[in-house]
């Protein structure tokens, strides 16, 4: 089983790259060559990734959430899986390359640095921690996708304003759709981050003796959460729309990435496990 | 195959001649009455604002193109017309040309799929006038199939190639659903009316029009079920509209940047699209500096039109490949209209009828008699088919013209409905295609 895990670890970045190339070909060239089959490539990549995650969980006897590189592979899966569902539900097929590239990034880093840990802290085998981490990861996948659609919205907005009718204009969905996709992804991200925070507030103080409310990760996540909450409320009540909400979503995403990077690599936090 | 075709189109003649040679339904009827049985056994007349084309299977294989032109001129007497204004096509060339016409690659506006419907209507008219026979029907089936393949398998008809469609395409790049949007058309001249019509076709939620002359506005509003705004105070209601299309002949600006700014404030900066399709322009171009205002004029819309035309030109080679395949398929079918396969199909048809009836009724007979029933019915069928089979074989041996033989075969097939009951593989597809429409 170990050799199979290692094989998947090497193959997964390649699978994502192949899927990305097919999506990109379809985006740039158009036509009907890959319009349906590209989804099959993504589906097969996701199946392979799911098998890999299950194999890791079974073989190492803990879910792959015990260090940042395990978390990255789950994040890569969550982002592409969320996109796959979004593509199925909305039938908007032109934005795949912009989302899948994020999965490639996370998966390549994970594949290079992931370690095979059989011995992990007892606390990392806890089910509540599992819920906490998975809801946080899907939440992050939501806000990542929201940010990507946000950037695409801004690019298309500018292209139309400047009367540039190139590839972006021809292939992307319309502005309202991009705004809606960005908003709903942010809402899903916000709800799941809320769940992760609630579980964290209730359970983390009991599980970690060195828990602190001044922890940089908690502060960072709370800031991200407040930012998204404010953006969503202002949009719902009609105060803000379009570019303003989109910019807020992008800032929130950048903040979330910074918070994760700082807490995991730079600062001392009870949240750092690697 | 003795298929003759003459074509006058934008490739061969100026617009004045094309207009002069346009055949209305009544004139097509006269033409058919005049030529059916004299020049053609069966045929098809296609006449649009850009082309008039006549396709026909001749009564005599020695038919001269000049005879066809004389028939045209006997219906439409046009001065200055010369044989050089017509393209004369025969057999495979004629079939290929029909397929090029129906796929839109021969059109002035490449990929224009209006021609697809016009060819279908023309064929319907020929059928109503009993001008179509077995060969023309099959040719039409193949033509429709080719047209459909071009639309579904290539991008020959994709993208807007007129300014008013480009405006709609641009609007659809901003709003997700026009059914929840409202539009105001300022100026109800020809351009304004066309733009309003396109918006209605795309399912705009609310449409209003305004025009300096109220009579004209009323006429268009009635036609399109739109609301009328008074030209003197329509600016007060600008903020209620997501899309504003302006197409007046005014020499001065109708809407200033301040007008737009005021409207945007009132609508809390919800997206607003301004389409200025007037020359000279009606809306201050500086309006595009306002956030969430998407301003476009004729020049920017023309960029979209040019791009789409280029893209369509790039698809022509794919369409030509489809046409070649379908022309090959058509001639493969046509060549199957030989004597030997027809004799076989005829015998198979009679045998199928015999077997069906025997199966239905054999329980009425004792088991001994059932055997006799088989023998007797087979003998009857053989006797019925003996003479026709001999005659058909004679056709094969004599020096008959291949088209005449094919037509006779087709008549025979029509008479017994052989192709309806036991279609050749290529027919099955095309018949289905035909029924879909």
């Amino acid at each position: 089983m170990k050799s199979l895990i290692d094989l998947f670890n090497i193959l997964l970045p390649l699978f994502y790259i192949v899927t990305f190339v097919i999506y990109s070909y379809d985006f740039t060239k158009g036509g009907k060559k890959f319009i349906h089959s590209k989804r099959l490539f993504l589906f097969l990549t996701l199946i392979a990734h799911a098998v890999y995650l299950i194999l890791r969980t079974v073989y190492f006897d803990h879910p792959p959430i015990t260090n940042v590189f395990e978390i990255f592979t789950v994040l890569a899966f969550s982002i592409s899986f969320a996109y796959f569902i979004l593509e199925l539900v909305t039938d908007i097929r032109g934005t795949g390359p912009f989302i899948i590239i994020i999965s490639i990034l996370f998966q390549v880093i994970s594949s290079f640095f992931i370690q095979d840990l059989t011995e992990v802290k007892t606390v990392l085998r806890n089910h509540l921690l599992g819920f906490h981490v998975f809801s946080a990861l899907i939440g992050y996948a939501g806000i990542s996708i929201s940010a990507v659609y946000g950037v695409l919205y801004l690019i298309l907005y500018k292209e139309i304003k400047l009367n540039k009718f190139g590839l972006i204009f021809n292939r992307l969905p319309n502005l309202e759709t991009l705004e809606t996709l960005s908003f709903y992804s942010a809402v899903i991200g916000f709800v799941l981050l809320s769940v992760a925070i609630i579980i964290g507030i209730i359970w983390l103080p009991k599980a970690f003796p060195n828990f602190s409310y001044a922890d940089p990760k908690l502060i960072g996540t709370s800031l991200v959460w407040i930012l998204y909450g404010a953006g969503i409320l202002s949009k719902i009540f009609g105060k803000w729309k379009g570019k303003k909400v989109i910019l807020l979503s992008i800032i929130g995403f950048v903040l979330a990435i910074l918070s994760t990077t700082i807490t995991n690599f730079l600062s001392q936090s009870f949240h750092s496990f690697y | 195959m003795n298929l003759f075709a003459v074509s006058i189109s934008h490739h061969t003649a100026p617009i004045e001649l094309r207009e002069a040679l346009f055949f209305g339904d009544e004139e097509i009827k006269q033409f058919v009455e005049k030529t059916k049985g004299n020049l053609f056994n069966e045929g098809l007349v296609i006449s649009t604002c850009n082309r008039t084309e006549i396709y026909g299977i001749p009564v005599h294989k020695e038919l001269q193109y000049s005879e066809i032109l004389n028939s045209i001129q006997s219906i439409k007497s046009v001065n200055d017309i010369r044989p050089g204004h017509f393209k004369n096509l025969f057999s495979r060339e004629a079939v290929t040309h029909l397929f090029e016409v129906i796929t839109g690659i021969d059109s002035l506006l490449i990929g224009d799929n209006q021609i697809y419907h016009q060819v279908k209507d023309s064929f319907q008219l020929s059928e109503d006038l009993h001008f179509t026979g077995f060969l023309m029907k099959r040719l039409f089936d193949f033509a429709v199939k080719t047209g459909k393949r071009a639309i579904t398998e290539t991008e020959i008809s994709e993208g807007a190639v007129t300014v008013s469609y480009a405006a709609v395409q641009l609007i659809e790049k901003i709003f997700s659903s026009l059914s929840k949007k409202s539009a105001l058309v300022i100026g109800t001249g020809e351009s304004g009316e066309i733009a309003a019509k396109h918006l209605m076709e795309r399912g705009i939620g609310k449409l209003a029009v305004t025009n300096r002359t109220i009579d004209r506005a009323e006429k268009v509003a009635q036609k399109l079920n739109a609301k009328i705004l008074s030209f003197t105070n329509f600016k007060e209601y600008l903020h209620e509209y997501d899309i504003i299309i302006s197409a007046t002949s005014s020499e001065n600006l109708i809407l200033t940047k301040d007008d737009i700014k005021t409207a945007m404030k009132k609508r809390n900066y919800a997206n607003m699209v301004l389409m200025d399709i007037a020359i000279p322009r009606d809306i201050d171009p500086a309006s595009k500096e306002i956030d969430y205002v998407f301003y476009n004029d004729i020049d920017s819309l023309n960029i979209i039109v040019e791009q789409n035309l280029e893209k369509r030109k790039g698809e022509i080679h794919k369409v030509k490949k489809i046409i070649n395949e379908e022309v090959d398929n058509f001639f493969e079918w046509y060549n199957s209209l030989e004597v030997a396969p027809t004799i076989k199909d005829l015998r198979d048809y009679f045998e199928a009828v015999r077997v069906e009836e025997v199966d239905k009724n054999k329980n009425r007979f004792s088991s001994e008699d059932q055997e006799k029933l088989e023998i007797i019915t087979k003998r009857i069928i053989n006797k019925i088919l003996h003479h026709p089979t001999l005659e058909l074989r004679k056709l094969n041996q004599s020096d008959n013209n291949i088209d005449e033989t094919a037509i006779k075969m087709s008549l025979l097939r029509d008479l017994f409905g052989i192709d309806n009951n036991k279609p050749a593989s290529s027919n099955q597809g095309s018949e289905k295609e035909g029924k879909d429409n």
Side-chain angles (χ1 to χ4, degrees):
Chain A
M1 192 188 278
K2 176 68 174 66
S3 53
L4 200 59
I5 290 171
D6 290 339
L7 182 68
F8 269 114
N9 192 42
I10 296 165
L11 287 179
L12 274 177
L14 295 176
F15 286 173
Y16 275 109
I17 288 167
V18 169
T19 308
F20 171 77
V21 168
I22 291 165
Y23 266 85
S24 302
Y25 178 90
D26 186 60
F27 182 81
T28 49
K29 300 279 177 191
K32 288 163 182 157
K33 206 170 176 184
F34 290 114
I35 194 155
H36 300 297
S37 58
K38 64 180 183 178
R39 190 180 280 174
L40 182 69
F41 279 93
L42 180 57
F43 178 69
L44 293 175
T45 303
L46 287 170
I47 292 283
H49 204 153
V51 169
Y52 170 72
L53 293 176
I54 292 166
L55 287 177
R56 280 198 81 89
T57 307
V58 172
Y59 187 75
F60 298 115
D61 194 25
H62 62 81
I65 52 169
T66 59
N67 63 59
V68 71
F69 301 116
E70 285 187 342
I71 281 172
F72 273 13
T73 186
V74 179
L75 201 53
F77 176 79
S78 309
I79 289 169
S80 282
F81 181 70
Y83 170 74
F84 181 70
I85 300 295
L86 209 62
E87 194 187 287
L88 279 183
V89 173
T90 61
D91 205 32
I92 294 167
R93 303 166 187 229
T95 55
F98 305 97
I99 309 280
I100 295 165
I101 196 160
I102 301 179
S103 286
I104 294 177
L105 200 71
F106 282 121
Q107 187 54 46
V108 167
I109 297 171
S110 171
S111 286
F112 265 110
F113 299 108
I114 201 161
Q115 289 183 337
D116 301 333
L117 302 173
T118 42
E119 292 301 318
V120 292
K121 293 175 189 171
T122 327
V123 71
L124 295 178
R125 293 186 195 275
N126 189 294
H127 290 306
L128 266 178
L129 179 83
F131 280 123
H132 169 73
V133 175
F134 272 110
S135 52
L137 287 180
I138 301 172
Y140 278 125
I143 62 172
S144 306
I145 291 173
S146 170
V148 171
Y149 282 126
V151 171
L152 293 178
Y153 173 95
L154 292 179
I155 295 171
L156 182 61
Y157 178 90
K158 208 169 171 193
E159 296 260 302
I160 299 176
K161 277 288 237 180
L162 297 174
N163 294 339
K164 284 186 182 169
F165 307 116
L167 201 61
I168 293 284
F169 175 81
N170 285 317
R171 297 276 188 266
L172 283 185
N174 59 64
L175 275 180
E176 268 189 0
T177 301
L178 286 173
E179 191 182 347
T180 308
L181 288 172
S182 176
F183 180 68
Y184 284 125
S185 310
V187 170
I188 292 166
F190 177 74
V191 170
L192 287 156
L193 275 184
S194 306
V195 171
I197 288 171
I198 291 166
I199 297 172
I201 288 172
I202 296 169
W203 175 74
L204 288 179
K206 295 175 196 165
F208 293 93
N210 59 340
F211 174 82
S212 161
Y213 283 107
D215 181 82
K217 174 85 180 182
L218 283 193
I219 293 168
T221 309
S222 304
L223 271 176
V224 170
W225 187 80
I226 289 166
L227 209 65
Y228 275 96
I232 289 165
L233 284 178
S234 63
K235 165 99 178 165
I236 289 171
F237 292 111
K239 297 269 180 200
W240 283 11
K241 62 182 74 167
K243 282 193 298 176
K244 281 183 185 169
V245 182
I246 295 279
L247 278 172
L248 214 61
S249 165
I250 296 169
I251 292 168
F253 172 71
V254 172
L255 214 63
I257 293 289
L258 282 178
S259 149
T260 310
T261 315
I262 290 167
T263 47
N264 281 301
F265 297 110
L266 302 177
S267 75
Q268 282 298 311
S269 161
F270 74 91
H271 250 113
S272 301
F273 307 116
Y274 179 69
Chain B
M1 183 189 192
N2 275 330
L3 175 68
F4 279 72
V6 290
S7 161
I8 182 164
S9 70
H10 57 279
H11 294 299
T12 59
I15 188 156
E16 298 76 24
L17 284 181
R18 292 184 334 248
E19 277 172 354
L21 277 177
F22 172 76
F23 275 57
D25 286 1
E26 201 48 47
E27 286 155 333
I28 291 176
K29 196 178 164 192
Q30 284 175 35
F31 179 82
V32 171
E33 278 168 4
K34 207 159 208 170
T35 56
K36 194 182 167 192
N38 297 319
L39 294 185
F40 299 120
N41 284 323
E42 46 180 308
L44 171 71
V45 180
I46 300 167
S47 194
T48 72
C49 52
N50 259 328
R51 66 177 68 244
T52 294
E53 315 213 319
I54 290 152
Y55 297 82
I57 305 288
V59 174
H60 309 291
K61 61 180 177 182
E62 298 82 15
L63 177 73
Q64 299 294 312
Y65 285 104
S66 56
E67 292 178 66
I68 307 172
L69 301 192
N70 290 341
S71 305
I72 293 171
Q73 281 192 301
S74 68
I75 309 280
K76 284 274 189 184
S77 177
V78 180
N79 294 330
D80 302 331
I81 199 143
R82 300 186 310 272
H85 289 127
F86 292 88
K87 199 193 251 182
N88 301 326
L89 303 144
F90 179 68
S91 191
R92 193 178 174 98
E93 272 185 341
V95 175
T96 307
H97 180 72
L98 175 64
F99 291 4
E100 282 174 353
V101 169
I102 200 168
T103 52
I105 63 167
D106 196 63
S107 296
L108 187 60
L109 214 57
I110 292 164
D112 172 26
N113 58 16
Q114 212 184 341
I115 189 73
Y116 173 80
H117 301 286
Q118 286 166 331
V119 172
K120 280 171 80 174
D121 292 344
S122 304
F123 182 80
Q124 188 56 51
L125 184 63
S126 281
E127 197 159 59
D128 293 345
L129 297 171
H130 308 291
F131 196 34
T132 54
F134 183 73
L135 290 175
M136 288 310 289
K137 279 179 188 170
R138 282 291 169 269
L139 180 61
F140 175 72
D141 283 345
F142 275 95
V144 168
K145 189 180 167 197
T146 311
K148 276 195 170 180
R149 280 191 65 194
I151 292 168
T152 54
E153 293 176 27
T154 73
E155 294 181 7
I156 192 72
S157 299
E158 299 214 346
V161 286
T162 61
V163 166
S164 44
Y165 258 126
V168 176
Q169 190 189 336
L170 193 53
I171 289 165
E172 287 179 334
K173 218 57 204 181
I174 293 159
F175 299 122
S176 56
S177 165
L178 290 189
S179 63
K180 291 173 193 158
K181 303 296 169 195
S182 51
L184 168 66
V185 176
I186 307 167
T188 49
E190 198 188 343
S191 303
E193 189 180 338
I194 291 172
K197 216 170 138 194
H198 285 330
L199 285 171
M200 283 304 277
E201 282 166 4
R202 295 286 175 149
I204 189 83
K206 196 173 99 182
L207 180 68
V209 293
T210 185
N211 196 55
R212 217 180 284 273
T213 326
I214 190 78
D215 292 352
R216 176 75 192 159
E218 276 171 355
K219 215 171 154 189
V220 173
Q222 202 178 5
K223 221 189 273 180
L224 300 171
N225 198 20
K227 190 181 162 184
I228 305 172
L229 293 186
S230 157
F231 197 77
T232 48
N233 66 347
F234 78 90
K235 288 184 188 177
E236 290 169 27
Y237 305 99
L238 275 187
H239 64 282
E240 293 177 11
Y241 295 92
D242 305 293
I243 301 153
I244 292 166
I245 297 180
S246 197
T248 77
S249 51
S250 167
E251 292 294 321
N252 303 312
L253 287 181
I254 302 276
L255 293 173
T256 64
K257 188 181 174 185
D258 285 340
D259 293 331
I260 306 298
K261 222 182 224 173
T262 312
M264 286 304 282
K265 269 184 199 159
K266 280 188 192 169
R267 56 191 272 116
N268 194 21
Y269 288 88
N271 291 334
M272 184 190 257
V273 180
L274 305 176
M275 291 290 168
D276 191 348
I277 53 173
I279 296 174
R281 291 183 289 192
D282 285 341
I283 306 172
D284 186 355
S287 307
K288 70 172 120 181
E289 291 159 12
I290 305 167
D291 256 358
Y292 304 105
V293 169
F294 300 94
Y295 169 89
N296 288 88
D297 56 21
I298 287 270
D299 281 353
S300 59
L301 293 172
N302 266 330
I303 297 173
I304 299 179
V305 169
E306 290 301 320
Q307 281 180 351
N308 287 335
L309 276 174
E310 278 308 306
K311 252 186 267 168
R312 286 187 180 194
K313 279 179 193 163
E315 292 293 296
I316 289 176
H317 72 280
K318 292 182 193 166
V319 177
K320 282 195 168 166
K321 198 173 159 230
I322 292 172
I323 290 172
N324 281 339
E325 281 169 21
E326 291 305 327
V327 170
D328 286 347
N329 288 342
F330 176 75
F331 277 95
E332 196 180 306
W333 165 82
Y334 178 76
N335 293 335
S336 78
L337 286 181
E338 287 170 2
V339 174
T342 306
I343 292 173
K344 188 184 175 300
D345 287 347
L346 190 65
R347 297 199 80 91
D348 286 350
Y349 169 72
F350 273 79
E351 178 61 11
V353 173
R354 188 195 70 77
V355 168
E356 195 184 333
E357 288 306 311
V358 167
D359 283 351
K360 249 190 242 173
N361 297 295
K362 67 180 175 188
N363 291 338
R364 296 180 184 178
F365 298 86
S366 66
S367 54
E368 275 176 22
D369 288 344
Q370 279 180 14
E371 210 172 302
K372 286 177 190 163
L373 181 70
E374 281 281 330
I375 296 165
I376 292 166
T377 51
K378 274 186 182 171
R379 202 178 291 159
I380 292 169
I381 296 299
N382 281 334
K383 283 204 166 175
I384 291 172
L385 289 177
H386 178 70
H387 185 70
T389 307
L390 281 182
E391 289 301 314
L392 286 170
R393 282 189 182 138
K394 272 187 207 164
L395 266 179
N396 205 20
Q397 286 155 6
S398 64
D399 293 332
N400 265 304
N401 178 299
I402 185 165
D403 278 334
E404 282 172 26
T405 308
I407 290 168
K408 280 176 185 166
M409 294 304 106
S410 75
L411 281 174
L412 192 69
R413 283 170 181 271
D414 261 356
L415 198 62
F416 288 102
I418 289 173
D419 283 278
N420 295 330
N421 292 305
K422 195 190 168 193
S425 58
S426 59
N427 293 341
Q428 279 177 321
S430 54
E431 277 182 356
K432 271 184 199 163
E433 297 285 347
K435 279 175 195 164
D436 285 345
N437 300 299

